[in-house]
């Protein structure tokens, strides 16, 4: 048994699907499947019940998940021991949009605080337009936002994560039997339209490329409202994997399927004003995200001095 086994197992357990775990880990599905089979052979225990709807933990799997998380946390703590002497210090003003702040940043802010205690990251939550204005006016050093929505030519950005969008369904929905749904079929369903972070505008752009329109039952800025409405059978929604969780606040299950038309990904990344001179603290933050998400083969950040 090695850390790779545990990492792949935890990712699959938390996402509920091999494909989603592979996407999060930026590896092939076969690598995840192979590691889980090896782990089950090592433990001589079945960790998942496999079905067309995904991977459901067995009782043994749930027990092993808690142990795996503890082990991986201990390893992270051990790694941090060698990095606590980071001499980089300073303040960074960081802007973030609602979705990024709610579903992406908290883990990394906590990790940065442990790795670099001298770094003071001051975060502001704003919409994209306000963030762009703030970067250009030097009110913010950097921003983490949806780069797929970014369009200002005076800003530079680097995409860190591409999150696929899928159709969210309540457990037992008929679309789950085929594992795919057409936009024609989706148009006949009540639709829950998320509006935050320009989600509705983005949705209508890809809907406009079909011959159909969503039958919108509710427009809401709350991801959790979308999750609950879908889980309760009140409609369906197309949302990104980054905000997906398999359970609603009421404890009801949600599933996802692909669509017959390719949907643009929701891209998360970091942005800065063109020509800005990077401080050591800014370089540290950008390098952290680059090491976490960007392949070493990719080009250096073009806007840094």
């Amino acid at each position: 048994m090695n850390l790779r086994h545990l990492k792949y197992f935890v990712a699959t357990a938390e996402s509920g699907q091999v494909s989603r775990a592979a996407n999060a880990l930026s590896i092939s599905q076969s690598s995840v499947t192979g590691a889980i089979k090896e782990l089950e052979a090592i433990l001589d225990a079945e960790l998942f019940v496999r079905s067309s709807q995904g991977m459901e933990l067995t009782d043994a799997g749930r027990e092993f998940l808690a142990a795996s998380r503890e082990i991986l946390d201990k390893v992270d703590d051990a790694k941090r021991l060698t990095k606590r002497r980071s001499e980089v210090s300073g303040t960074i003003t960081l802007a973030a949009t609602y979705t990024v702040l709610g579903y992406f940043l908290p883990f990394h802010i906590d990790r940065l605080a442990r790795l670099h205690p001298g770094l003071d990251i001051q975060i502001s939550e704003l919409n994209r337009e306000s963030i762009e204005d703030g970067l250009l006016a030097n009110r913010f050093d950097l921003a983490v936002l949806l780069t797929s929505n970014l369009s200002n030519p005076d800003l530079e950005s680097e995409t860190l994560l591409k999150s696929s969008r899928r159709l969210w369904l309540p457990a037992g929905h008929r679309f789950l039997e085929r594992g795919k749904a057409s936009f024609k079929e989706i148009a006949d369903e009540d639709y829950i339209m998320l509006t935050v972070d320009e989600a509705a505008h983005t949705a209508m752009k890809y809907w406009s490329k079909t011959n159909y329109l969503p039958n919108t039952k509710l427009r809401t800025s709350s991801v959790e409202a979308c999750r609950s409405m879908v889980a309760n059978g009140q409609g369906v929604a197309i949302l990104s994997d980054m905000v997906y969780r398999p359970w609603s606040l009421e404890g009801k299950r949600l599933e996802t399927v692909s669509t017959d038309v390719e949907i643009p990904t929701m891209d998360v990344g970091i942005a800065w004003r063109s020509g800005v001179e990077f401080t050591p603290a800014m370089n540290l933050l950008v390098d952290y995200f680059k090491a976490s998400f960007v392949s070493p083969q990719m080009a250096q950040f073009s806007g840094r001095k």
Side-chain angles (χ1 to χ4, degrees):
M1 187 188 305
N2 57 46
L3 295 177
R4 176 180 61 88
H5 289 122
L6 301 184
K7 185 177 179 180
Y8 293 7
F9 164 71
V10 170
T12 304
E14 291 181 343
S15 65
Q17 290 185 0
V18 169
S19 60
R20 194 174 291 120
N23 183 60
L25 296 165
S26 298
I27 58 174
S28 66
Q29 293 187 38
S30 60
S31 296
V32 176
T33 300
I36 291 173
K37 288 182 178 178
E38 290 173 6
L39 185 57
E40 289 180 322
I42 293 168
L43 297 172
D44 192 24
E46 187 175 6
L47 300 175
F48 292 101
V49 174
R50 295 152 173 85
S51 71
S52 60
Q53 298 179 9
M55 305 281 278
E56 188 77 28
L57 285 169
T58 62
D59 289 341
R62 280 188 283 273
E63 292 180 13
F64 191 68
L65 177 60
S68 298
R69 283 171 170 160
E70 184 176 354
I71 292 169
L72 292 174
D73 285 345
K74 293 289 185 183
V75 171
D76 281 343
D77 286 341
K79 289 179 179 179
R80 285 193 287 267
L81 289 174
T82 63
K83 298 181 179 180
R84 284 177 180 165
R85 295 182 180 179
S86 170
E87 296 179 358
V88 177
S89 62
T91 299
I92 292 179
T93 51
L94 182 69
T97 53
Y98 169 86
T99 304
V100 168
L101 187 57
Y103 296 91
F104 177 81
L105 264 185
F107 169 82
H108 298 289
I109 295 300
D110 176 64
R111 195 158 180 254
L112 281 161
R114 294 172 183 271
L115 290 173
H116 307 288
L119 194 63
D120 178 21
I121 303 176
Q122 299 179 357
I123 305 174
S124 298
E125 180 191 317
L126 296 165
N127 60 35
R128 177 184 58 84
E129 293 89 346
S130 297
I131 289 176
E132 291 183 2
D133 290 344
L135 287 172
L136 295 175
N138 290 323
R139 291 195 298 273
F140 306 117
D141 297 318
L142 297 166
V144 183
L145 73 178
L146 303 185
T147 52
S148 45
N149 293 344
L150 201 60
S151 60
N152 195 308
D154 295 321
L155 298 177
E156 296 188 44
S157 64
E158 185 76 27
T159 294
L160 303 170
L161 171 69
K162 291 179 176 290
S163 180
S164 298
R165 288 184 169 97
R166 306 178 204 273
L167 179 66
W168 289 18
L169 300 167
H173 195 284
R174 66 184 186 283
F175 292 167
L176 294 169
E177 297 178 3
R178 298 196 315 273
K180 182 171 283 191
S182 69
F183 269 78
K184 179 181 180 180
E185 293 171 313
I186 299 169
D188 290 331
E189 301 281 321
D190 287 336
Y191 195 86
I192 312 301
M193 180 70 76
L194 183 68
T195 60
V196 73
D197 280 351
E198 304 168 86
H201 176 69
T202 300
M204 294 314 300
K205 283 201 296 186
Y206 59 74
W207 270 96
S208 68
K209 295 179 180 180
T210 72
N211 295 321
Y212 309 99
L213 290 173
N215 178 27
T216 304
K217 179 178 181 178
L218 173 69
R219 294 172 61 90
T220 176
S221 62
S222 169
V223 176
E224 295 309 318
C226 286
R227 197 187 320 280
S228 290
M229 292 289 286
V230 171
N232 289 331
Q234 299 300 309
V236 301
I238 295 176
L239 294 171
S240 79
D241 285 351
M242 190 180 81
V243 301
Y244 173 78
R245 302 293 183 272
W247 303 99
S248 71
L249 294 175
E250 299 84 6
K252 293 185 177 180
R253 181 86 182 181
L254 292 88
E255 307 286 354
T256 65
V257 296
S258 300
T259 58
D260 64 333
V261 175
E262 185 176 354
I263 304 172
T265 57
M266 186 181 77
D267 302 344
V268 178
I270 195 161
W272 60 92
R273 179 175 58 83
S274 297
V276 69
E277 184 173 354
F278 274 55
T279 66
M282 291 167 65
N283 272 317
L284 186 151
L285 186 70
V286 171
D287 286 341
Y288 164 82
F289 281 115
K290 182 178 177 182
S292 298
F293 292 98
V294 183
S295 167
Q297 286 74 36
M298 291 185 67
Q300 296 290 322
F301 283 66
S302 58
R304 296 165 63 184
K305 293 184 176 181

